[in-house]
Amino acid sequence: FMEHQNITELWTDRLYLRTLTEADADTMRELFSDEYETREAALEHVRWILNHGYEGRILIVFYIWLKGTDSCIGRVYLHGKPELGGEVEIGYGIAEAYRRNGYATEAGKAAVRFAFGDFGQEVLAAIVKPENTGSQRVIGNLGFTKRGTRVVPDENGVDCDFDYFQLFRGETGDG
């Protein structure tokens, strides 16, 4: 779909989103210090993403900046998820200091438009832990419909119940 050295940029009213470059390793590490213990670990992860991550699976990660600043506040991603039959899942994370300002919804809408527009997806999926009310709200704001539950390994590899949502092209009100 695109050569890995290309940078994809998305703009919203308040946010600037773009795909990563190796120069972003320090930013990633700062934002998600629990995930990357060293700069080298962050750099390895950037290279893994730039080489399309898993073999044959879609993986697009946008980092999110407040427009007109150098404040990176989070990320939104699209990736093929085998546990969901290969459906493309949308996910996001906003740094704690920036939560509850609508940034996840704003970035999510940009990523959804990208997925259905430039990327040509017909459907997106999302899985959210039932107790994660903030994320539940974002998924609702993006127009997703709950379709049931799925048992999927969480970030620690433990099988958990997740609420399972889908959004089909044309359901967004954005075209």
Side-chain angles (χ1 to χ4, degrees):
F1 117 97
M2 66 172 80
E3 288 302 309
H4 65 259
Q5 62 268 29
N6 288 353
I7 293 175
T8 301
E9 298 177 326
L10 305 175
W11 297 86
T12 69
D13 287 344
R14 300 180 296 165
L15 305 174
Y16 165 65
L17 292 73
R18 73 168 165 76
T19 50
L20 292 171
T21 67
E22 289 188 11
D24 295 315
D26 289 328
T27 301
M28 286 171 58
R29 191 159 168 242
E30 218 171 279
L31 200 59
F32 298 103
S33 54
D34 54 326
E35 290 179 40
Y36 311 107
E37 288 180 19
T38 64
R39 182 177 194 284
E40 194 51 44
L43 199 52
E44 267 177 50
H45 192 74
V46 174
R47 289 177 181 144
W48 180 79
I49 290 169
L50 294 177
N51 290 309
H52 304 298
Y54 308 101
E55 200 56 44
R57 278 169 56 183
I58 292 164
L59 179 64
I60 305 166
V61 182
F62 292 99
Y63 271 67
I64 306 164
W65 280 263
L66 289 179
K67 229 190 231 178
T69 74
D70 59 1
S71 299
C72 185
I73 64 165
R75 64 185 168 200
V76 59
Y77 56 85
L78 303 163
H79 72 119
K81 196 147 179 106
E83 302 90 336
L84 300 177
E87 281 187 288
V88 174
E89 177 197 22
I90 188 170
Y92 40 81
I94 300 293
E96 213 162 316
Y98 296 96
R99 291 183 189 156
R100 304 189 67 83
N101 289 297
Y103 296 135
T105 297
E106 194 170 322
K109 284 182 176 176
V112 164
R113 275 193 305 274
F114 172 81
F116 289 146
D118 303 320
F119 203 64
Q121 281 302 116
E122 291 300 322
V123 62
L124 291 175
I127 55 170
V128 181
K129 287 186 177 171
E131 66 274 14
N132 188 341
T133 53
S135 216
Q136 292 274 351
R137 205 169 29 253
V138 170
I139 284 301
N141 290 341
L142 294 177
F144 281 73
T145 302
K146 186 173 175 185
R147 308 276 186 212
T149 57
R150 293 286 190 277
V151 177
V152 177
D154 68 7
E155 62 278 3
N156 303 311
V158 178
D159 282 351
C160 290
D161 284 338
F162 284 84
D163 289 336
Y164 168 69
F165 301 84
Q166 284 181 314
L167 179 66
F168 290 87
R169 176 198 292 277
E171 288 182 338
T172 62
D174 286 344

